[in-house]
Amino acid sequence: MKILIRLLVSIKHANELEDAIYGGADIIDIKDPSKGSLGLPDLEILKNIVTKIKDLNTNNIEISIAGGDIKSYDHSLKYIAYTTASLNINYFKIGLAMPSRGLAEFVSREISKVLKLFNTTKLVLVGYADYSRIESIEPLEIINIAKNVRADVVMIDTYIKDGKSTFNFLSKNYLQEFVKEAHRRGLLTALAGSLKKQHISNAIKLGFDIIGVRGAVCKGNRRGFISKELVEELKRSIKHYSLF
């Protein structure tokens, strides 16, 4: 039986949770869209959502948290990672929005060391499809960093949310190489970045393990509200294209 690409839906508060879950999300990603691509959510909101997921008894649902678009090292990152792991959250995402590979690896290693104390939370390193616009390291560089610091997942997203998707910045050949190299190194791969229903087919064909969305399943833009119907529609598309 073919394994479906997993659907990650980003939510900003607990009121969106049930629409995301019952619409068909496999991973609930908690973030604050007003604070950037990977905006760190408020701690109380995070705790409320985690508690509500447990109360719903949805054992098959995994939880992810966005840890920010990181441009420089700050000691608070280790405290955030510690809190994340102590809540048994499955994935902790950080965006490596910096031009220096050395700094990116240092930051990633410091966070990885904290998460490995618990060994329950996977580290997700995020590179940006529009890296040239923000002068950060490119996504392919993230793969070597992930292997060196014992991260678990590599992801591509867009930093600037202006309607342009990952496919506006990176070719299919580039994305295919990203997936191939990451899988060769034993890493899971995730794709996000203003993706819409029409991008599902390419994401599946390219071999990504996870697809991440928010705006595509919101009424309005990414700062709107999650729609159960739109999540269901996206999930149906995943099932449809996975047949081919």
Side-chain angles (χ1 to χ4, degrees):
M1 181 178 178
K2 189 172 182 179
I3 298 175
L4 295 180
I5 192 170
R6 299 167 74 200
L7 177 60
L8 176 151
V9 175
S10 296
I11 68 172
K12 62 182 179 180
H13 49 65
N15 290 341
E16 295 183 317
L17 178 61
E18 292 190 32
D19 283 333
I21 289 179
Y22 297 130
D26 302 294
I27 303 170
I28 296 298
D29 178 55
I30 307 163
K31 70 178 180 182
D32 185 343
S34 70
K35 295 179 181 177
S37 177
L38 299 174
L40 179 70
D42 179 81
L43 179 58
E44 290 305 314
I45 291 175
L46 172 65
K47 289 169 64 179
N48 286 343
I49 293 173
V50 171
T51 299
K52 192 169 182 179
I53 289 175
K54 292 178 180 177
D55 290 343
L56 290 172
N57 196 27
T58 50
N59 296 326
N60 58 325
I61 298 294
E62 292 189 306
I63 309 172
S64 165
I65 175 178
D69 303 290
I70 311 301
K71 295 184 177 180
S72 60
Y73 178 69
D74 188 289
H75 289 290
S76 63
L77 288 170
K78 295 171 78 172
Y79 287 93
I80 295 168
Y82 187 92
T83 300
T84 299
S86 67
L87 290 171
N88 292 319
I89 290 170
N90 302 97
Y91 302 96
F92 181 58
K93 302 188 303 179
I94 58 166
L96 300 180
M98 55 197 79
S100 165
R101 176 174 166 177
L103 177 58
E105 186 161 327
F106 171 76
V107 171
S108 301
R109 180 172 284 109
E110 289 299 294
I111 293 174
S112 180
K113 286 191 292 188
V114 174
L115 297 181
K116 295 302 180 188
L117 294 175
F118 293 81
N119 208 32
T120 56
T121 303
K122 295 179 174 65
L123 176 58
V124 182
L125 299 184
V126 183
Y128 299 98
D130 53 345
Y131 65 94
S132 60
R133 296 203 289 181
I134 62 170
E135 298 182 344
S136 68
I137 57 176
E138 65 174 292
L140 278 171
E141 290 190 79
I142 305 293
I143 295 171
N144 286 329
I145 294 173
K147 192 63 178 177
N148 290 343
V149 306
R150 297 169 61 207
D152 305 279
V153 187
V154 286
M155 184 175 195
I156 298 177
D157 202 341
T158 50
Y159 183 92
I160 299 173
K161 299 299 182 181
D162 59 359
K164 292 182 179 179
S165 79
T166 289
F167 289 96
N168 290 121
F169 299 100
L170 301 177
S171 69
K172 291 179 184 177
N173 286 339
Y174 187 102
L175 294 169
Q176 189 173 47
E177 178 63 22
F178 179 87
V179 171
K180 179 181 176 182
E181 186 62 21
H183 284 171
R184 188 179 72 81
R185 291 172 174 264
L187 299 163
L188 292 175
T189 57
L191 183 67
S194 298
L195 301 181
K196 297 178 176 60
K197 187 169 68 171
Q198 63 263 32
H199 298 126
I200 298 295
S201 176
N202 284 329
I204 292 171
K205 289 176 182 176
L206 289 166
F208 281 92
D209 303 294
I210 300 166
I211 183 169
V213 297
R214 176 168 173 82
V217 294
C218 277
K219 292 179 179 177
N221 57 30
R222 67 191 294 266
R223 296 194 185 185
F225 297 93
I226 297 292
S227 161
K228 176 176 176 286
E229 291 73 23
L230 290 177
V231 179
E232 287 175 331
E233 185 178 339
L234 203 63
K235 190 72 171 186
R236 283 195 297 270
S237 294
I238 290 174
K239 293 177 179 178
H240 171 75
Y241 288 117
S242 296
L243 294 175
F244 301 98

